[in-house]
Amino acid sequence: MAVPLIYNLRSIRVRWASTSVAVLGIGGAVAVFVAVLSLAHGFEATLVESGSPRNALIRRAGSSSEMESVVLLDQARVVADAPQVARDRRGRPLVSMEVVAIGAFRHRASRSEALAQVRGVSEDALAVRDNLRMARGRFLTPGLSELVVGKNAEQMYEGFSLGDTPAFGGRTWKVVGILDAGNSAFDSEVWADARILNQTFKRPEHIFQSVTVRLSDPAHLPAFEKALKADPRLTVQVDREDLYYAKQSRVVSTMIRVLGYLVAVVMGVGALFAALNTLYSALAARVREMATLRAIGFSPRAVVLSWLFEALAIALLGGLLGDLLVIPLNGVTTSTINWQTFSQLAFAFRVTPALLLQGLGFALLMGFLGGLPPALRAARIPVAAALREL
């Protein structure tokens, strides 16, 4: 026979003061746990959403990122001629030959210089990435010293608003457009014409670092990759664009998750002791109640389950509190260094239902671990000795 659950719920209500300590402790640990995971998820999602499953990114074979890659103009033209590459209405291949550079610009928040990724693109960059759009202004004109700035980069750096004329690399530029990349990594970048950017940084004009192509059909990627690797003129590797950016996110997102787990474990241990203290205090005040339950026929197992239910109920309250505390963080934008490019990347906390459920699971785990020792002790109370104290 099980102890009525209403007994435990009334016990929580009567001892609300001591219960509140455990609820707050568990809630704080859950809030930190979910917040850090949502930070890692936001960083990962920002990079993954930069890519499209319809696009392929071509780099030098063996390079781990665009920063290490070199693709010659002749090789890029061979790539563009592949039959799997989509064409526009005029029959031109949808290809963007790109270079990347790092610029040091004045950060609005820190009032110091921060590194930003400057991407040199071709005139078809927006046609290749049809999920991007100009939020304000227009796209840059090839051959001119014009910039298109991501909406987050405009907010992060001084002098990069529409119409501004920032100077870097020994050249004065003009910001002609603000890019809306749907909260992807491109929102943190500054775009220029690839050839002008090569000239600015004294690089040969016929060298690029990546080629992004739009495939006529995503299913053509294996055939496209096989054709390029079989061509003796090419030494390249081919990645689906979204998978490439997913790999780029792993280092930082893993680092954030590990840090988050460590902090959550430390806070969880503190919350665990709070739960233990609460339940041991409740047990000390209810020794006679436990003895009475045993005397009227409830088994030790029923007493253990009753205490565990009470502990899990307290933990659930803490978990719900923690989830409620962290929900307002959803969508809040922050930035960190992308260790693949050594540039600032703006991204937002993403609090998802899955993360909230993980937070509740973490809370219930703390409740179980904190409730089990008092539950076992309650079941071992000597009935006769406890009743003689009545």
Side-chain angles (χ1 to χ4, degrees), residues 22-33 263-276 279 308 311-312 314-316 318-319 322 358-374:
V23 170
L24 289 174
I26 293 173
V30 169
V32 171
F33 178 71
V263 174
V265 166
V266 171
M267 293 193 67
V269 170
L272 195 67
F273 279 105
L276 278 169
L279 291 171
L308 282 179
L312 292 176
I314 293 172
L316 183 61
Q358 286 186 46
L360 290 180
F362 181 53
L364 292 176
L365 176 63
M366 286 188 285
F368 177 79
L369 295 176
L372 187 58

Side-chain angles (χ1 to χ4, degrees), residues 33-118:
F33 178 71
V34 178
V36 175
L37 290 186
S38 66
L39 194 67
H41 180 64
F43 181 87
E44 194 173 55
T46 296
L47 279 175
V48 171
E49 290 172 6
S50 302
S52 166
R54 285 203 59 182
N55 290 349
L57 188 76
I58 294 90
R59 292 172 290 135
R60 177 180 60 82
S63 59
S64 61
S65 71
E66 291 176 280
M67 301 293 289
E68 303 171 359
S69 174
V70 173
V71 180
L72 302 178
L73 177 60
D74 291 341
Q75 294 176 319
R77 286 173 175 164
V78 173
V79 171
D81 288 338
Q84 295 85 7
V85 177
R87 261 68 180 171
D88 63 12
R89 293 178 181 177
R90 293 178 290 173
R92 296 186 309 132
L94 293 178
V95 173
S96 181
M97 304 172 194
E98 301 184 351
V99 295
V100 290
I102 300 298
F105 307 134
R106 189 167 179 79
H107 196 265
R108 290 181 189 273
S110 64
R111 312 297 295 173
S112 60
E113 288 196 334
L115 301 180
Q117 181 155 299
V118 184

